[in-house]
Amino acid sequence: MSRYPRSYTWTEFCAFWAIVISGFSYLLGGLIRLILSFLKDIAPKTVNMINSVIGIFTFLGNIALIIAVAIPAWQFVRGRSIGWKVVYWIALIGFALGAVLGMLGSLGIF
C-alpha cells in the first residue's frame, strides 16, 4: 500500500481545499481584527474600511464551507425521496443567503 494515495474523490478534493481556504480566511480575518483593535483610536476611518475587508474574508470562508458541506450532503440525499431533496435545497439556499446577508451586513449595507 502506497503512503501517498494517487486517487481521490471529488468530495475529498473539495473538502480539503474548503478547509484550507476557510481556515486561511478566518485566521487572516482574526489577525487583522486583533491588530485593528489596537489601532481603532488612531485611525477610525481606516479601521472601518479594513473591517469591510475582514467581512469579505469571512464571506470567502463561508463559501468554502458551503462547498465542503453541500457536496457530501448531496451525496447523502441523492438516492433518497423527494422530501429529503427539498429539505436539502431549502437548507442550502438558507445557508447561502445567510452568508451573503452576513457579508452585506459587515460591509454596512444593511
Side-chain angles (χ1 to χ4, degrees):
M1 178 181 229
S2 174
R3 183 175 172 182
Y4 302 105
R6 294 180 187 239
S7 65
Y8 50 85
T9 65
W10 178 248
T11 304
E12 294 166 344
F13 177 80
C14 287
F16 172 77
W17 285 108
I19 291 298
V20 170
I21 292 169
S22 63
F24 176 74
S25 297
Y26 288 137
L27 180 64
L28 189 60
L31 289 174
I32 293 172
R33 201 171 300 232
L34 177 68
I35 292 168
L36 291 179
S37 68
F38 297 116
L39 299 175
K40 66 183 173 185
D41 295 330
I42 298 170
K45 288 184 182 180
T46 305
V47 169
N48 288 336
M49 185 205 52
I50 295 175
N51 274 332
S52 298
V53 173
I54 293 171
I56 293 170
F57 280 124
T58 303
F59 177 70
L60 291 175
N62 286 339
I63 293 299
L65 289 177
I66 288 172
I67 293 169
V69 170
I71 294 172
W74 177 252
Q75 290 176 352
F76 173 75
V77 169
R78 183 176 46 195
R80 300 189 184 274
S81 68
I82 192 75
W84 284 91
K85 293 174 185 172
V86 169
V87 170
Y88 169 83
W89 284 109
I90 290 172
L92 184 63
I93 290 169
F95 188 72
L97 186 61
V100 169
L101 291 176
M103 184 201 65
L104 294 176
S106 71
L107 292 176
I109 295 175
F110 287 129

